Amino acid sequence: MLAYRHLFHAGGYADVFKHALLAQLVLCLKAKVKPFLYLDTHAGAGLYDLAHPWARKNREYLGGIARIRERADAPPALAPYLHAVHTANPDGRLRRYPGSPLIVRALIRGNDRMALTELNRTDCESLAALFSGDRRVQVRLMDGFDALKAFLPPRERRGLVLIDSSFDRAREFDRVKRAFAQAHRRFATGVHALWYPHIGEPVIAALERGIAATGMRKVLQLDLAVRARHTGAGLAGCGMLIANPPFGFEATARSLLQWLWPALSPEGEGSWRARWLVPE
Ligand SMILES: C[S@@+](CC[C@H](N)C(=O)[O-])C[C@H]1O[C@@H](n2cnc3c(N)ncnc32)[C@H](O)[C@@H]1O
């Protein structure tokens, strides 16, 4: 239980995919003046030292953030995400990678709030230290699935929920599917994002069927793969389900993925996809 440590994967292509989309979701929410809550149920450590032996084991960041960070032709929609990465590396050298909580904090306003839950004690302590003194941010050592009950619906009646499990337990696909539906039930007008790894077509197909069967409407599905199939070399691809994506998000997400896929898969392996799993 909890053998997973995100430091081994920090800044890899899956993080780039997830965090570039996350930054866009936050930007879309900021289009309205009313404040919102960002709930990150599986928040991780917040900031990752890419010189650490765990990060250097497979150097996943070389196939991710290192490939795109200095591209002169990066689309404007990538700018908020890249800004957060640059903020974590003020001297310009890529030494640290910001996780989802720091990426979101770089973008929120003075009256927006963040709730971050993490079950690994060490990572949660790092997270708490990183955000100490920031009154907008609550950090809790707790199960992210319980966090849905504790924090939803938010008092602002506006919000973004990220469910970003480490998928290191049996039946985790079932668990995240139920959590996604539960989050939506508790807070039907919220924006809900669920990240998932491509670990085999039958598993993904079951997730898709399960979500469609909940009766939720307006679920956008985005996928990015950098290898044709799952091998010992690592995860072939990953995806995100987004319920109630804000106005304008779909078009931006498509343009982002159209640029990101060849940038992250220079050999042209894999593919990207954007579709409505469940339309309005
Ligand atoms: C993929 S990582 C999170 C990465 C982070 N969201 C980011 O994008 O930077 C998943 C995290 O979930 C934590 N975790 C696993 N099961 C959990 C649970 N039931 N509740 C809360 N955290 C959990 C793991 O310790 C790990 O830090």
Side-chain angles (χ1 to χ4, degrees), residues 7 22 51-52 60 74 83 99 102 116 131 138-139 154 189 214 225 243 250 260 270 274 280:
L7 183 50
L22 181 66
H52 189 284
E60 292 196 18
H83 164 73
L102 270 192
L116 312 172
F131 287 91
Q138 252 180 294
V139 178
T189 54
T214 61
E250 180 198 356
L260 278 176
E280 200 147 359

Side-chain angles (χ1 to χ4, degrees), residues 1-6 9 15 18-19 22 38 40-48 97-103 117-121 123 140 142-146 162-169 172 175 195:
M1 169 85 169
L2 289 188
Y4 178 95
R5 303 306 293 274
H6 196 66
H9 309 287
D15 267 1
K18 178 196 334 176
H19 294 152
L22 181 66
Y38 169 66
D40 197 329
T41 59
H42 298 65
L47 184 64
Y48 302 94
Y97 185 78
S100 48
L102 270 192
I103 286 171
T117 57
E118 166 59 49
L119 207 46
N120 180 289
R121 186 173 292 277
D123 284 357
R140 294 251 190 101
M142 76 184 278
D143 191 313
F145 298 118
D146 295 337
L162 173 64
I163 300 174
D164 183 23
S165 166
S166 38
F167 289 88
D168 54 355
R169 285 191 291 177
E172 192 68 359
R175 212 170 277 122
W195 181 91

